[in-house]
Amino acid sequence: MERPPKIGKNIQQLRNSQGFTLNVLSERSGVSKAMLSQIESDKVNPTVATVWKIAQGLSVEIHALLAGSVVPKRKFLINRYENITTLDTDAEGVHVHVLSPLSMVEDLEMYILSFEPKSRLDSEAHFPKTEEFLTVVKGHVRVKAGENVGDLKKGDFITYHCDVDHTIENIGNSEAKVHLVVRYNQQIDTTL
Amino acid sequence: MERPPKIGKNIQQLRNSQGFTLNVLSERSGVSKAMLSQIESDKVNPTVATVWKIAQGLSVEIHALLAGSVVPKRKFLINRYENITTLDTDAEGVHVHVLSPLSMVEDLEMYILSFEPKSRLDSEAHFPKTEEFLTVVKGHVRVKAGENVGDLKKGDFITYHCDVDHTIENIGNSEAKVHLVVRYNQQIDTTL
DNA sequence: AAACCTTGTTTACTATAATGAAAATAGTTT
DNA sequence: AAACTATTTTCATTATAGTAAACAAGGTTT
């Protein structure tokens, strides 16, 4: 996005798709229909509060209205096993395979983690709102996130927030392997 | 988010974290420092265009500034293998394990797909901007997305947009298994 | 086709976002 | 601590977002 987003079309499209008239949306959102009309034709420069009220009336996130009409780039990227970068962690016996090359996706990272017997990976609290999604591919692991603990076996799935210290450890006596998705919600949280 | 977002703290925090003064940010963004000061203390109700300019000056997406200060719910949800819902698809020999229960995550879905020999899964074009991230856990598969084709073996990773018809098929003579992440970018696209 | 209704636009006005300059506050140096 | 500098806040003014009411355009009904 190189210039301020034109949100008029987005709003109009959403309004029409839900079959709302300007009057209806005006009632639902608390924004005058005159303003709605002008916003839809990009004649004015609405405030955040107004756009937010419109989003409420349309039952969508404000992001949906601000999204620029960017032509989707059609992606088709293969990352071969032999090309996958393998990080050796500071933790003994833990190997990290980075599936998603950096900048492939804005806010998602995917890894395969392999744990030798009795090895563990300690992570400090990430940025607020970061969450991890872990699927056990092989073996037995224990996941701790803050106060919480869970033992998992092959095929189990867990999701947790990682704004607290968390660890993954191999509790079996053979190699363990997990598939890990980390989502960075780069939203700023002021409550911390 | 139940009321219009208070963006002042977000901006101030980001500005400070980058070591910018109001003057610097004013120059970088083209917004007067007086306005910046008032916005940061939530005394005014800025325009979308203004907030967007500030985001530019801070080198972040506008979304980062609008994010509400919601207290993060700390998630720790385990989905045991035996409880995982298994869908039998219309496709013969393809089994879908839904790792992430619906509504666990807004816009991410995770699956383990198992393919008996010679089986395949055809998917129609999803909503615009949907992307899939596939890791081969076992066996050999061929992925097609529109014009593109790729053969993958265990450990390979691929990401592709799926606003076109796409298929995943087992091209080996034993069971194949893949880990699939689907991300629904529910942003509105006006160019279609 | 005139009267009526429904939906969207334009107009006149008010409230307030945005600006530049001045005042205040905080932080350093002599 | 006074003098100086850097940073933020307040003030007075201008530009414009937002509103309510009138207007215009399209479609139905009688």
Side-chain angles (χ1 to χ4, degrees), chain A:
Chain A
M1 235 190 296
E2 308 83 12
R3 44 175 196 281
K6 298 261 198 234
I7 63 183
K9 291 248 178 59
N10 289 350
I11 292 172
Q12 191 167 50
Q13 206 168 302
L14 267 170
R15 176 172 67 82
N16 288 330
S17 75
Q18 302 189 38
F20 294 160
T21 130
L22 286 183
N23 268 311
V24 172
L25 181 54
S26 175
E27 280 172 20
R28 289 177 58 105
S29 63
V31 176
S32 71
K33 70 172 177 179
M35 188 41 44
L36 291 175
S37 171
Q38 295 175 45
I39 291 173
E40 287 191 352
S41 44
D42 291 314
K43 291 198 181 119
V44 291
N45 207 336
T47 62
V48 171
T50 299
V51 174
W52 181 87
K53 287 196 273 182
I54 295 173
Q56 291 287 106
L58 291 169
S59 309
V60 299
E61 286 287 320
I62 188 172
H63 304 158
L65 303 184
L66 298 176
S69 357
V70 183
V71 176
K73 302 168 207 141
R74 207 155 279 163
K75 216 186 273 179
F76 191 89
L77 295 174
I78 297 180
N79 196 14
R80 301 279 173 197
Y81 181 71
E82 49 273 18
N83 301 330
I84 287 178
T85 57
T86 303
L87 309 173
D88 274 311
T89 60
D90 40 333
E92 202 66 39
V94 181
H95 307 286
V96 178
H97 305 267
V98 184
L99 298 173
S100 50
L102 279 177
S103 80
M104 207 170 192
V105 195
E106 331 69 271
D107 60 347
L108 281 185
E109 278 291 337
M110 302 189 197
Y111 310 95
I112 294 285
L113 305 182
S114 59
F115 294 82
E116 294 174 14
K118 309 298 173 203
S119 65
R120 58 184 288 166
L121 181 65
D122 296 300
S123 304
E124 296 181 357
H126 293 192
F127 215 67
K129 291 192 130 191
T130 300
E131 32 187 3
E132 294 189 355
F133 307 91
L134 185 155
T135 314
V136 179
V137 177
K138 187 177 176 186
H140 292 75
V141 300
R142 175 170 296 157
V143 176
K144 296 186 196 173
E147 305 298 296
N148 301 295
V149 186
D151 287 351
L152 306 172
K153 64 178 185 311
K154 177 177 174 178
D156 290 349
F157 174 81
I158 185 174
T159 175
Y160 50 93
H161 279 276
C162 29
D163 52 344
V164 293
D165 291 352
H166 53 286
T167 71
I168 307 170
E169 62 177 306
N170 185 350
I171 55 174
N173 38 27
S174 60
E175 186 202 34
K177 200 179 278 188
V178 306
H179 183 288
L180 186 67
V181 178
V182 183
R183 173 219 283 265
Y184 302 98
N185 280 357
Q186 77 276 47
Q187 304 167 359
I188 306 312
D189 194 283
T190 59
T191 58
L192 255 179

